[in-house]
Amino acid sequence: MHAIEQTVSKFLKEPSDKRKVILNLGCGYDPLPFQYLSKYPEDCQKVTFVDVDYPELMFKKADVILEQSDMKDLIDPIQSNNQNGPVPSLRKAGQVSPFVIRSEKYVGLGCDLRDIAQLNKTLDEKLHLGSCLILCTAEVSITYMDVASADALIRWVAQYNDGKMPIAN
């Protein structure tokens, strides 16, 4: 955990004209985006934190975020895909967006990490990753994936010239 925090802090302080994206693959209930947005707002000016995990987990995480004003206030204005969310919905004509919750500072994405095509399409469509500096973290998620899927995910991150993926176990 300390290694991830140090890496994120260093990444945020790097000078850049590009938007920065911190992509947390298999995020679980990791509070990292909210810790940084509250403690270091000056370092998070041109940053989007992206949490990715299974849709069911991301819906639960979005509920927590929407219920906690101290978290919600850090990322307002928000769009949510939760049925009961008190914010504009991401649902359109019977289709459900993989974005569970979205704002300029934070994106919660419900996606199976083995589905690289969906992950790539969704993130590139909305965040234009090719024009961003990307820091990708995956503390334990890759450990639980089969080797072929983990390799594919690492190759996907590596396709971005400015993408970084620290290895921390």
Side-chain angles (χ1 to χ4, degrees):
M1 181 81 162
H2 183 68
I4 296 293
E5 289 175 8
Q6 293 299 310
T7 303
V8 170
S9 292
K10 181 180 174 187
F11 177 75
L12 289 175
K13 291 183 185 309
E14 288 178 14
S16 176
D17 293 330
K18 293 184 175 185
R19 178 152 203 80
K20 294 180 181 179
V21 172
I22 298 176
L23 183 59
N24 191 353
L25 301 172
C27 63
Y29 293 103
D30 187 352
L32 183 130
F34 301 95
Q35 290 171 335
Y36 275 88
L37 289 166
S38 65
K39 290 182 184 177
Y40 311 106
E42 64 284 350
D43 293 336
C44 299
Q45 294 302 310
K46 288 177 48 179
V47 177
T48 301
F49 290 89
V50 180
D51 282 346
V52 183
D53 215 314
Y54 290 110
E56 301 81 20
L57 187 142
M58 290 307 300
F59 277 113
K60 289 177 186 175
K61 188 170 186 173
D63 285 340
V64 171
I65 293 166
L66 293 172
E67 291 170 4
Q68 301 296 319
S69 62
D70 54 336
M71 294 174 82
K72 183 176 170 262
D73 291 348
L74 290 170
I75 60 172
D76 264 343
I78 302 171
Q79 287 185 302
S80 173
N81 210 357
N82 280 13
Q83 288 267 359
N84 302 323
V87 293
S89 177
L90 296 172
R91 295 176 190 271
K92 295 179 186 169
Q95 296 179 332
V96 177
S97 167
F99 290 102
V100 174
I101 188 168
R102 184 174 72 200
S103 75
E104 184 178 333
K105 296 177 186 175
Y106 178 80
V107 172
L109 177 63
C111 183
D112 186 330
L113 294 175
R114 296 170 294 185
D115 190 349
I116 302 294
Q118 177 68 39
L119 184 64
N120 186 60
K121 177 181 181 271
T122 303
L123 288 174
D124 204 40
E125 202 172 88
K126 300 297 180 186
L127 296 172
H128 311 288
L129 293 179
S131 63
C132 299
L133 282 179
I134 303 165
L135 175 67
C136 183
T137 65
E139 285 189 62
V140 291
S141 57
I142 291 177
T143 305
Y144 295 108
M145 295 173 76
D146 63 90
V147 173
S149 296
D151 286 350
L153 188 59
I154 292 168
R155 276 192 305 276
W156 174 74
V157 171
Q159 77 178 336
Y160 295 101
N161 292 336
D162 290 326
K164 300 174 185 184
M165 186 166 194
I167 304 300
N169 292 323

